[in-house]
Amino acid sequence: MASTNPARGMRDFLPADVRKRDYVLRVIKQVYESYGFEPLETPSVENLETLMGKYGDEGNQLVFKILKRGEKLDLANASKESDLSDLALRYDLTVPLARVVANNKNDLPKFFKRYQIQPVWRADRPAKGRFREFYQCDVDAIGSSSMVVEAELLSAVSEILRRLGFEDFTIRLNDRRVLTEILDTAGVPDELHTDALVAIDKLDKIGSEGVAKELSDRGISDQASAMLMEIFAKTQEIHNQESDINRTIVANLINIVSNETLSELGQILKFAPKAPVLIDPSLARGLSYYTGAIMEITVPDLAGSLGGGGRYDGLIGMFGKEQIPACGFSLGLERILVVMEERGMFPPEIAESTPADVMVTIWNEETIADSLKLANELRSQGLRVTLYPEPDKLGKQFKYADQINVPFVCILGESELAESNVTLKNLRSGEQATVEQSEIVTLVRLPEKIA
Amino acid sequence: MASTNPARGMRDFLPADVRKRDYVLRVIKQVYESYGFEPLETPSVENLETLMGKYGDEGNQLVFKILKRGEKLDLANASKESDLSDLALRYDLTVPLARVVANNKNDLPKFFKRYQIQPVWRADRPAKGRFREFYQCDVDAIGSSSMVVEAELLSAVSEILRRLGFEDFTIRLNDRRVLTEILDTAGVPDELHTDALVAIDKLDKIGSEGVAKELSDRGISDQASAMLMEIFAKTQEIHNQESDINRTIVANLINIVSNETLSELGQILKFAPKAPVLIDPSLARGLSYYTGAIMEITVPDLAGSLGGGGRYDGLIGMFGKEQIPACGFSLGLERILVVMEERGMFPPEIAESTPADVMVTIWNEETIADSLKLANELRSQGLRVTLYPEPDKLGKQFKYADQINVPFVCILGESELAESNVTLKNLRSGEQATVEQSEIVTLVRLPEKIA
């Protein structure tokens, strides 16, 4: 017999889970739309070549690849993975966006502001809060190099988190060029920059000793590594001690980083005054396509981030003839849900939701059509109505309604049918009353009238 | 350079497409919920063994299989497809539901009514209206053998189609046992029943001659084949000529089909009086797991169906120790959209939707923060506001707003900033007025005041 568990790292969402997920997604969509972002959806499956080479070596390994089909699958002559696979599962929403922008250049406005909320798949080792299928809630603005874009993205995601009830989040902000100039200053050769960034990206997870070891493993000299760690340690000190942190950090970078980059960071701070931004020169972000600002949202009680993003002015050019500037942010639905669940942040109507407002019982075989008719009448008046599917003892029908958390039942027995009325029972208070069918909607919506 | 097209048989949905899809999905969800169905979501990726053997031989071939990863992929010793793949993309929503029910037996109510709206993937040859990724909108009731279930499903899907504006749809209804008894009567041996059903399922597509040929290819005698065709031809004649079609068809089946089966068909008709049901003994449905009622919705101007479903009392038992009765229906989002698009059935607010209610312009570098502040103020008052992302000639900013179909622009120039007001321009009428910031919401919502 086949196992009944979902595949490794994947999850089933039962109704109570889906309602919580939908609640968060509704808030995210509403805020993205209030900022003028438009919805986009792309296929779950992309041509393998679309994804390869966009996420760095570690990313390439984590892409789920789909087996060729039929005659295309020539097992006898296959000597490597790429002989076997032509398609792959979406790894993020940014590369597909870049492909869509290149593919629809003439149909899209010159500034294309889109949001996209879809699952992505990564063949990562599953861990607490890390799944192989998870939702990204992306928002991107294509076509402008202005820091207005970064600022609007940070305002929008801050607004979302506040509406969901988060008060203690921090947006860490950096710029890939800050890192580049720090790496240059520390004497890391150009060809090792990517390796260095992959290592530095793990600072939160493995600490400075871990990063120093990985830098060394990747061929970066101890001297360069020590200088990097010193620069980041100084930042950490400022984070811990200063009152005007961002100003102090920028001042501290003046001799290392170009004025233009520092001025752009300053603009983002100025244009998004309500976003809780903290400049962090050690923030690296794993993905290889970022070219400018990078950002990440953290809360104290979650290892890892609630979301992140950045500017990727070179990615769309990989698909088209033209370089088009772009910047985006991605919220991680699962991370947000984990924290909201642990903190009990869901509003009561979501946490205690019911599958229906009322359940109609079935008295006996002969009255089935009458119960169906009543259920449809109540639905046409706007109630959510479930029907017990077969004749059964009333006690068992009540018990079932209670089990699925439906607050009211309608009883349509022989006497009710004879007198053209309905007995309405409030399962929470135990009260019941025989009423006209036309009264039911009001009584269910204002239960104090019979309770 | 990589191709920028989506993979074969897959599609990108630009904003106008997504809005139409979301509109249809909202109606479907609302109606399913009004019938007391609860949302369920399952992973896109299932263990391969979960899917294999559930859809018949033709189905097995169409499952997208995922390549094993890392050390598990032993290419040197792989001699067949199953050595290379351990996971697969979801092929429908019914098999995952059966797995979930078996896996969560103790946590689910004894009647589990769920809906599930997610994409599925089939490696079919792409054709007009046939894609390799498409959405199914499923609704299933688990745990009852009562025909109330079939009737409620048919009422719900009829309600959905009517709310979307369909008036001319037909629900073809049959029962797998009707087909079995017809096959027995025609002398088709038991072991060829599955083959016969696969052939009969194509009656609409390839006509009776095509089916006769396929029956012959699959080893069914010419005599049996001729008798089958005669029975179905008689049905067709009744469909074309009779006024009380269902009664006549049932009468015509009395000597072939058991009373119990005919009585259940009669109950479905009685319990779903508003659903436009037509009994069709030739309806077969491709999937192999159906055991009782089967149904399919058609409209005159679409080859193929808008959706279909049926009873599958044996499927859950393939995953658990217990046989649990179940019945479901699946609406095909893409099919519905194709017909609605061709007929122009979308309401104007969907067909002509805008990305924002108003666009705020940017006067120059110095006023960026003021424009951002105005945009955020208007958002906090409930407007959807997009911001032109950089200083530019006003004419170009207006042109852009017009291009993306935003009806109003706010101009915040030096004189407006000096006098703490805003110039609001209605791009559709060309009228403009200088107003207090607090007046904007009203004027945008009731544009006749300035237009």
Side-chain angles (χ1 to χ4, degrees), chain A residues 5-75:
Chain A
N5 287 318
R8 179 160 180 260
M10 312 273 174
R11 292 161 301 159
D12 296 318
F13 299 110
L14 297 185
D17 304 317
V18 177
R19 290 192 190 100
K20 287 176 182 170
R21 295 169 68 83
D22 280 351
Y23 162 71
V24 174
L25 293 178
R26 269 200 307 278
V27 171
I28 293 174
K29 274 187 206 179
Q30 260 172 23
V31 175
Y32 284 166
E33 290 186 357
S34 80
Y35 277 75
F37 291 92
E38 301 192 80
L40 177 77
E41 294 184 4
T42 66
S44 306
V45 174
E46 291 279 354
N47 288 316
L48 186 59
E49 60 165 11
T50 300
L51 305 191
M52 287 297 103
K54 308 300 187 304
Y55 305 111
D57 288 342
E58 296 199 355
N60 279 353
Q61 295 302 318
L62 301 182
V63 170
F64 277 108
K65 297 165 189 82
I66 293 173
L67 203 61
K68 289 184 179 176
R69 295 144 308 282
E71 292 169 3
K72 284 191 187 168
L73 181 65
D74 181 4
L75 191 47

XYZ file of all heavy atoms in Angstrom, chain A residues 5-75:
580
model
N 1.640 9.827 3.381
C 2.251 11.113 3.711
C 2.522 11.920 2.446
O 2.765 11.349 1.388
C 3.577 10.899 4.441
C 3.354 10.415 5.859
O 2.465 10.897 6.557
N 4.130 9.427 6.273
N 2.509 13.251 2.585
C 2.974 14.047 1.450
C 4.459 13.768 1.209
O 5.143 13.228 2.083
C 2.737 15.487 1.897
C 2.524 15.445 3.366
C 2.085 14.072 3.718
N 4.945 14.108 0.031
C 6.363 13.893 -0.286
C 7.233 14.682 0.695
O 6.792 15.665 1.296
C 6.637 14.310 -1.729
N 8.468 14.260 0.819
C 9.418 14.857 1.765
C 9.535 16.377 1.557
O 9.729 16.840 0.432
C 10.779 14.184 1.530
C 11.905 14.674 2.384
C 13.032 13.643 2.421
N 14.117 14.125 3.252
C 15.234 14.693 2.767
N 15.408 14.802 1.464
N 16.163 15.140 3.588
N 9.394 17.116 2.655
C 9.539 18.566 2.565
C 8.320 19.290 2.009
O 8.343 20.504 1.841
N 7.248 18.521 1.707
C 6.010 19.119 1.168
C 4.914 18.979 2.238
O 4.980 18.123 3.099
C 5.558 18.375 -0.086
C 6.643 18.124 -1.109
S 6.801 19.516 -2.236
C 8.250 19.008 -3.185
N 3.889 19.781 2.134
C 2.846 19.755 3.157
C 1.437 19.804 2.579
O 1.199 20.464 1.568
C 3.004 20.975 4.085
C 4.242 20.924 4.951
C 4.581 22.289 5.459
N 4.811 23.211 4.348
C 4.733 24.517 4.426
N 4.401 25.087 5.564
N 4.975 25.270 3.369
N 0.511 19.130 3.257
C -0.916 19.295 2.989
C -1.430 20.413 3.890
O -1.046 20.506 5.053
C -1.668 18.008 3.344
C -1.249 16.845 2.459
O -1.088 17.051 1.245
O -1.086 15.727 2.989
N -2.347 21.212 3.360
C -2.959 22.251 4.182
C -4.428 21.943 4.375
O -5.216 22.012 3.428
C -2.762 23.623 3.549
C -1.325 23.996 3.416
C -0.713 24.059 2.179
C -0.558 24.245 4.551
C 0.626 24.371 2.063
C 0.785 24.555 4.450
C 1.384 24.616 3.199
N -4.786 21.589 5.604
C -6.185 21.324 5.922
C -6.924 22.666 6.013
O -6.305 23.727 6.031
C -6.265 20.521 7.221
C -5.602 19.118 7.127
C -5.827 18.327 8.417
C -6.127 18.320 5.938
N -8.267 22.630 6.045
C -9.029 23.888 5.941
C -8.584 24.997 6.898
O -8.449 26.159 6.477
C -10.469 23.426 6.222
C -10.504 22.038 5.654
C -9.146 21.454 5.968
N -8.314 24.671 8.158
C -7.929 25.733 9.093
C -6.611 26.380 8.658
O -6.418 27.590 8.828
C -7.807 25.175 10.513
N -5.707 25.585 8.094
C -4.441 26.131 7.581
C -4.682 27.043 6.385
O -4.103 28.129 6.288
C -3.514 24.998 7.095
C -3.244 23.962 8.161
O -3.011 24.353 9.310
O -3.285 22.754 7.830
N -5.527 26.567 5.466
C -5.762 27.348 4.241
C -6.373 28.699 4.593
O -6.008 29.730 4.028
C -6.682 26.600 3.250
C -6.956 27.461 2.022
C -6.048 25.281 2.822
N -7.291 28.712 5.573
C -7.927 29.989 5.926
C -6.903 30.987 6.452
O -6.968 32.178 6.148
C -9.017 29.755 6.965
C -10.221 29.034 6.388
C -11.404 29.067 7.346
N -12.437 28.173 6.860
C -12.639 26.941 7.328
N -11.898 26.474 8.317
N -13.584 26.189 6.814
N -5.953 30.506 7.253
C -4.920 31.413 7.767
C -4.028 31.906 6.631
O -3.670 33.083 6.566
C -4.086 30.693 8.829
C -4.847 30.504 10.130
C -4.037 29.710 11.132
C -4.848 29.496 12.413
N -4.189 28.543 13.304
N -3.662 30.983 5.739
C -2.833 31.382 4.604
C -3.567 32.411 3.748
O -2.990 33.435 3.362
C -2.464 30.151 3.762
C -1.595 29.158 4.502
C -1.449 27.827 3.754
N -0.683 27.946 2.532
C 0.635 27.919 2.469
N 1.343 27.791 3.583
N 1.257 28.011 1.328
N -4.843 32.146 3.483
C -5.613 33.074 2.644
C -5.751 34.448 3.288
O -5.750 35.468 2.592
C -7.013 32.499 2.356
C -6.980 31.466 1.244
O -5.927 31.330 0.594
O -7.999 30.786 1.030
N -5.886 34.466 4.606
C -5.990 35.747 5.307
C -4.731 36.594 5.076
O -4.804 37.768 4.699
C -6.216 35.499 6.797
C -5.922 36.684 7.683
C -6.747 37.805 7.681
C -4.800 36.695 8.508
C -6.460 38.903 8.478
C -4.506 37.775 9.312
C -5.332 38.880 9.295
O -5.044 39.966 10.080
N -3.573 35.978 5.255
C -2.316 36.708 5.060
C -2.174 37.130 3.594
O -1.805 38.274 3.293
C -1.112 35.849 5.510
C 0.202 36.531 5.166
C -1.193 35.580 7.013
N -2.512 36.219 2.685
C -2.390 36.552 1.258
C -3.315 37.700 0.870
O -2.954 38.549 0.050
C -2.683 35.317 0.394
C -1.652 34.189 0.506
C -2.051 33.001 -0.348
C -0.262 34.678 0.097
N -4.513 37.736 1.465
C -5.444 38.847 1.172
C -4.840 40.186 1.568
O -4.917 41.158 0.819
C -6.771 38.650 1.927
C -7.832 37.894 1.158
C -9.228 38.140 1.721
N -9.354 37.892 3.147
C -9.528 36.697 3.708
N -9.578 35.613 2.953
N -9.649 36.563 5.014
N -4.243 40.240 2.759
C -3.631 41.495 3.213
C -2.491 41.890 2.272
O -2.374 43.048 1.858
C -3.122 41.354 4.669
C -2.282 42.564 5.073
C -4.298 41.180 5.625
N -1.673 40.916 1.910
C -0.537 41.206 1.030
C -1.026 41.758 -0.311
O -0.545 42.785 -0.797
C 0.324 39.942 0.832
C 0.997 39.559 2.161
C 1.370 40.149 -0.260
C 1.768 38.245 2.125
N -2.018 41.076 -0.905
C -2.551 41.534 -2.188
C -3.130 42.936 -2.093
O -2.916 43.778 -2.955
C -3.688 40.605 -2.647
C -3.214 39.405 -3.408
C -4.417 38.648 -3.970
C -4.068 37.203 -4.166
N -5.194 36.409 -4.674
N -3.920 43.164 -1.030
C -4.560 44.472 -0.878
C -3.532 45.588 -0.838
O -3.695 46.619 -1.483
C -5.362 44.505 0.421
C -6.841 44.294 0.223
C -7.558 44.143 1.554
O -7.062 44.594 2.584
N -8.720 43.516 1.538
N -2.473 45.389 -0.062
C -1.472 46.451 0.054
C -0.706 46.602 -1.260
O -0.517 47.721 -1.756
C -0.516 46.187 1.236
C 0.599 47.226 1.261
C -1.295 46.214 2.556
N -0.293 45.502 -1.857
C 0.399 45.609 -3.147
C -0.486 46.369 -4.151
O -0.012 47.237 -4.886
C 0.744 44.228 -3.704
C 1.931 43.509 -3.051
C 2.140 42.145 -3.269
C 2.845 44.186 -2.246
C 3.230 41.476 -2.698
C 3.922 43.519 -1.670
C 4.115 42.161 -1.899
O 5.183 41.506 -1.341
N -1.769 46.043 -4.184
C -2.653 46.737 -5.136
C -2.824 48.207 -4.772
O -2.969 49.052 -5.651
C -4.005 46.014 -5.223
C -3.854 44.662 -5.916
C -5.173 43.940 -6.183
O -6.238 44.444 -5.780
O -5.110 42.856 -6.804
N -2.812 48.509 -3.474
C -2.971 49.911 -3.073
C -1.758 50.737 -3.518
O -1.830 51.953 -3.600
C -3.179 50.032 -1.563
O -1.947 49.937 -0.881
N -0.643 50.080 -3.799
C 0.546 50.765 -4.320
C 0.587 50.744 -5.853
O 1.585 51.135 -6.445
C 1.826 50.127 -3.756
C 2.188 50.658 -2.384
C 1.481 50.259 -1.257
C 3.220 51.573 -2.202
C 1.799 50.746 0.003
C 3.550 52.064 -0.944
C 2.827 51.645 0.152
O 3.136 52.133 1.394
N -0.459 50.234 -6.477
C -0.499 50.254 -7.942
C 0.220 49.097 -8.622
O 0.484 49.162 -9.823
N 0.540 48.045 -7.863
C 1.147 46.876 -8.492
C 0.049 45.989 -9.076
O -1.024 45.855 -8.496
C 1.997 46.097 -7.474
C 3.238 46.844 -7.068
C 3.238 47.678 -5.961
C 4.392 46.738 -7.826
C 4.370 48.395 -5.592
C 5.540 47.448 -7.472
C 5.529 48.272 -6.354
N 0.358 45.381 -10.230
C -0.625 44.555 -10.936
C -0.245 43.078 -10.852
O 0.935 42.744 -10.807
C -0.669 44.962 -12.412
C -1.027 46.410 -12.624
C -1.342 46.659 -14.084
O -2.458 46.342 -14.510
O -0.457 47.169 -14.798
N -1.252 42.193 -10.886
C -0.958 40.764 -10.724
C -0.365 40.131 -11.974
O -0.804 40.401 -13.082
C -2.337 40.174 -10.426
C -3.309 41.096 -11.096
C -2.693 42.467 -11.004
N 0.613 39.270 -11.782
C 1.183 38.475 -12.877
C 1.272 37.032 -12.397
O 1.496 36.786 -11.203
C 2.591 38.979 -13.217
C 3.344 38.193 -14.299
C 2.834 38.548 -15.700
C 4.857 38.446 -14.242
N 1.062 36.085 -13.310
C 1.295 34.680 -12.972
C 2.106 34.037 -14.089
O 1.876 34.309 -15.266
C -0.031 33.932 -12.766
C -0.775 34.443 -11.548
C -2.048 33.672 -11.237
O -2.331 32.673 -11.923
O -2.757 34.081 -10.310
N 3.033 33.197 -13.712
C 3.861 32.488 -14.698
C 3.737 30.987 -14.428
O 3.315 30.582 -13.350
C 5.337 32.925 -14.604
O 5.860 32.514 -13.341
C 5.481 34.422 -14.767
N 4.115 30.165 -15.407
C 3.957 28.716 -15.209
C 4.892 28.175 -14.119
O 5.976 28.710 -13.917
C 4.365 28.119 -16.564
C 4.500 29.243 -17.502
C 4.665 30.491 -16.729
N 4.457 27.111 -13.480
C 5.285 26.438 -12.472
C 6.499 25.798 -13.112
O 7.528 25.625 -12.474
C 4.476 25.338 -11.794
O 3.286 25.863 -11.286
N 6.344 25.411 -14.369
C 7.400 24.694 -15.083
C 8.039 25.636 -16.097
O 7.331 26.287 -16.866
C 6.792 23.466 -15.802
C 7.832 22.780 -16.674
C 6.194 22.493 -14.788
N 9.348 25.735 -16.057
C 10.088 26.558 -17.016
C 11.036 25.658 -17.804
O 11.422 24.581 -17.337
C 10.918 27.624 -16.270
C 10.107 28.715 -15.587
C 9.655 29.832 -16.537
O 10.068 29.819 -17.721
O 8.905 30.716 -16.094
N 11.421 26.121 -18.999
C 12.507 25.430 -19.689
C 13.739 25.446 -18.787
O 14.051 26.462 -18.169
C 12.817 26.116 -21.022
C 11.733 25.867 -22.053
O 11.259 24.734 -22.203
N 11.315 26.911 -22.736
N 14.424 24.310 -18.724
C 15.582 24.203 -17.836
C 16.592 25.318 -18.106
O 17.134 25.925 -17.179
C 16.226 22.819 -18.034
C 17.376 22.465 -17.092
C 16.934 22.511 -15.643
C 17.930 21.085 -17.427
N 16.818 25.613 -19.390
C 17.829 26.629 -19.738
C 17.455 28.020 -19.235
O 18.322 28.862 -19.040
C 18.067 26.649 -21.250
C 16.815 26.973 -22.036
C 17.090 27.353 -23.504
O 18.218 27.169 -23.961
O 16.143 27.843 -24.151
N 16.163 28.261 -19.024
C 15.748 29.559 -18.472
C 16.282 29.744 -17.049
O 16.646 30.840 -16.650
C 14.205 29.665 -18.460
O 13.723 29.536 -19.794
C 13.740 30.987 -17.880
N 16.328 28.654 -16.298
C 16.718 28.766 -14.890
C 18.217 28.582 -14.659
O 18.779 29.165 -13.730
C 15.956 27.730 -14.054
C 14.433 27.755 -14.170
C 13.814 26.863 -13.103
C 13.881 29.165 -14.030
N 18.857 27.777 -15.493
C 20.262 27.457 -15.226
C 21.139 28.698 -15.353
O 20.966 29.503 -16.255
C 20.742 26.366 -16.196
C 20.181 24.983 -15.886
S 20.696 24.335 -14.258
C 19.222 24.591 -13.306
N 22.076 28.831 -14.421
C 23.035 29.930 -14.482
C 22.545 31.236 -13.901
O 23.213 32.254 -14.017
N 21.352 31.212 -13.292
C 20.829 32.460 -12.734
C 20.968 32.528 -11.214
O 20.815 33.585 -10.617
C 19.343 32.621 -13.082
C 19.008 32.465 -14.562
C 19.718 33.460 -15.434
C 19.240 33.394 -16.885
N 19.343 32.075 -17.507
N 21.185 31.417 -10.557
C 21.107 31.396 -9.087
C 22.431 31.032 -8.427
O 22.468 30.781 -7.228
C 20.026 30.411 -8.647
C 18.670 30.673 -9.263
C 18.115 29.808 -10.191
C 17.950 31.803 -8.909
C 16.881 30.051 -10.759
C 16.711 32.061 -9.476
C 16.178 31.179 -10.395
O 14.958 31.430 -10.950
N 23.495 30.971 -9.189
C 24.765 30.537 -8.622
C 24.822 29.015 -8.550
O 23.821 28.339 -8.777
N 26.015 28.489 -8.234
C 26.212 27.034 -8.252
C 25.329 26.325 -7.238
O 24.742 25.279 -7.524
C 27.675 26.695 -7.945
C 28.572 27.062 -9.115
O 28.025 27.235 -10.229
O 29.789 27.174 -8.916
N 25.225 26.898 -6.019
C 24.398 26.245 -5.006
C 22.945 26.204 -5.455
O 22.250 25.215 -5.253
C 24.544 26.958 -3.648
C 25.950 26.861 -3.083
C 26.034 27.143 -1.585
O 24.994 27.509 -0.973
O 27.134 27.002 -1.019
N 22.483 27.296 -6.062
C 21.116 27.342 -6.567
C 20.865 26.297 -7.647
O 19.886 25.563 -7.600
N 21.765 26.206 -8.613
C 21.603 25.222 -9.700
C 21.333 23.819 -9.158
O 20.536 23.068 -9.711
C 22.875 25.168 -10.564
C 22.930 26.297 -11.581
O 21.964 27.042 -11.727
N 24.059 26.422 -12.260
N 22.051 23.475 -8.094
C 21.905 22.136 -7.512
C 20.515 21.918 -6.937
O 20.072 20.788 -6.780
C 22.925 21.927 -6.377
C 24.372 21.933 -6.846
C 24.627 20.873 -7.899
O 24.145 19.750 -7.771
N 25.325 21.221 -8.961
N 19.860 23.014 -6.531
C 18.589 22.893 -5.804
C 17.369 22.962 -6.717
O 16.239 22.873 -6.252
C 18.499 23.990 -4.734
C 19.619 23.988 -3.684
C 19.383 25.092 -2.662
C 19.700 22.639 -2.967
N 17.605 23.132 -8.005
C 16.481 23.191 -8.943
C 15.934 21.775 -9.175
O 16.698 20.854 -9.462
C 16.945 23.807 -10.286
C 15.867 23.668 -11.357
C 17.325 25.278 -10.100
N 14.622 21.599 -9.006
C 13.988 20.314 -9.337
C 13.871 20.203 -10.852
O 13.270 21.059 -11.506
C 12.570 20.239 -8.748
C 12.513 19.824 -7.314
C 12.188 20.743 -6.326
C 12.758 18.515 -6.939
C 12.108 20.363 -5.003
C 12.679 18.119 -5.618
C 12.357 19.044 -4.638
N 14.436 19.119 -11.407
C 14.443 18.956 -12.865
C 13.439 17.881 -13.272
O 13.248 16.899 -12.565
C 15.855 18.594 -13.328
C 16.846 19.720 -13.006
C 18.293 19.322 -13.099
C 19.187 20.435 -12.556
N 19.309 20.417 -11.072
N 12.789 18.100 -14.409
C 11.735 17.187 -14.861
C 12.277 16.286 -15.959
O 12.983 16.744 -16.865
C 10.511 17.989 -15.343
C 9.881 18.693 -14.128
C 9.490 17.093 -16.037
C 8.770 19.644 -14.476
N 11.944 15.002 -15.828
C 12.420 13.993 -16.776
C 11.825 14.246 -18.164
O 10.641 14.571 -18.294
C 11.950 12.634 -16.255
C 12.688 11.373 -16.673
C 14.138 11.408 -16.226
C 11.991 10.157 -16.057
N 12.659 14.077 -19.200
C 12.132 14.128 -20.562
C 11.092 13.026 -20.748
O 11.085 12.032 -20.009
C 13.270 13.939 -21.570
C 14.207 15.131 -21.664
C 15.240 14.891 -22.765
C 16.175 16.088 -22.872
N 17.242 15.834 -23.870
N 10.241 13.183 -21.751
C 9.135 12.269 -21.942
C 9.215 11.553 -23.284
O 9.773 12.092 -24.240
C 7.812 13.035 -21.844
C 7.564 13.624 -20.459
C 6.861 14.964 -20.512
N 7.487 15.927 -21.376
C 8.585 16.631 -21.071
N 9.144 16.502 -19.901
N 9.098 17.483 -21.945
N 8.647 10.372 -23.320
C 8.489 9.630 -24.574
C 9.824 9.393 -25.268
O 10.811 9.018 -24.632
N 9.839 9.671 -26.568
C 11.038 9.370 -27.347
C 12.212 10.277 -27.007
O 13.367 9.938 -27.274
C 10.717 9.516 -28.844
C 9.754 8.449 -29.336
C 9.240 8.758 -30.729
O 9.679 9.769 -31.305
O 8.397 7.987 -31.228
N 11.892 11.453 -26.436
C 12.975 12.380 -26.091
C 13.894 11.798 -25.013
O 15.041 12.207 -24.871
C 12.401 13.702 -25.586
C 11.863 14.592 -26.675
C 11.574 15.955 -26.077
C 10.871 16.857 -27.056
N 10.360 18.058 -26.369
N 13.348 10.887 -24.223
C 14.132 10.301 -23.142
C 14.916 9.119 -23.706
O 14.390 8.025 -23.876
C 13.216 9.844 -22.006
C 13.939 9.226 -20.805
C 14.807 10.260 -20.116
C 12.938 8.637 -19.827
N 16.180 9.380 -24.009
C 17.019 8.343 -24.623
C 17.988 7.846 -23.553
O 19.128 8.292 -23.457
C 17.752 8.961 -25.822
C 18.620 7.935 -26.524
O 18.584 6.745 -26.130
O 19.344 8.328 -27.448
N 17.502 6.925 -22.750
C 18.250 6.492 -21.571
C 19.571 5.841 -21.968
O 20.598 6.043 -21.312
C 17.368 5.531 -20.756
C 17.845 5.148 -19.368
C 18.277 6.365 -18.580
C 16.714 4.434 -18.630
